[in-house]
Amino acid sequence: MYSRYLIPVCFSLLFLSCVYQREYSGSAAQTAELLELERRVFSLVNEYRHSINIIPLRNNSIIAEFARRHSINMARKRVPFSHSGYYSRVYEISK
């Protein structure tokens, strides 16, 4: 039952953060709120991973920055709401 709701909740939170996010121009309170949302989603994902006996993810600031940019681009409809371009982002991160 736990896993049945966790994934939809996490994706809903991520979607809301995409819609709500401003490209680094929000107020300090908005920025803090978004960072807390990111931390909460990260925590929920790791709780789920723990529940199915797989190792937790580790936070990586470089990957997080790429994810934020991708979220902003999706929110601004510069790219489709999808994982399109995943491999090119992975390549850029690996440089």
Side-chain angles (χ1 to χ4, degrees):
M1 183 169 140
Y2 180 70
S3 63
R4 179 178 176 191
Y5 297 105
L6 182 62
I7 299 294
V9 167
C10 286
F11 280 111
S12 297
L13 289 171
L14 286 172
F15 177 74
L16 290 173
S17 73
C18 292
V19 171
Y20 181 67
Q21 194 166 35
R22 303 274 189 265
E23 194 165 356
Y24 307 107
S25 62
S27 71
Q30 287 174 328
T31 301
E33 194 174 313
L34 287 173
L35 289 174
E36 180 54 35
L37 178 61
E38 283 181 12
R39 282 190 280 274
R40 184 67 184 134
V41 169
F42 193 80
S43 176
L44 287 170
V45 167
N46 276 336
E47 285 177 28
Y48 173 71
R49 292 173 67 88
H50 177 75
S51 77
I52 59 172
N53 296 316
I54 58 177
I55 61 172
L57 298 174
R58 288 181 294 159
N59 194 12
N60 180 300
S61 61
I62 295 168
I63 294 171
E65 182 61 29
F66 272 83
R68 273 186 213 102
R69 277 191 245 148
H70 183 59
S71 294
I72 290 166
N73 287 334
M74 287 188 298
R76 292 186 174 189
K77 298 183 180 178
R78 293 177 184 157
V79 297
F81 188 78
S82 71
H83 293 290
S84 296
Y86 169 78
Y87 291 107
S88 64
R89 287 188 302 281
V90 168
Y91 176 76
E92 288 299 314
I93 290 167
S94 70
K95 286 183 177 181

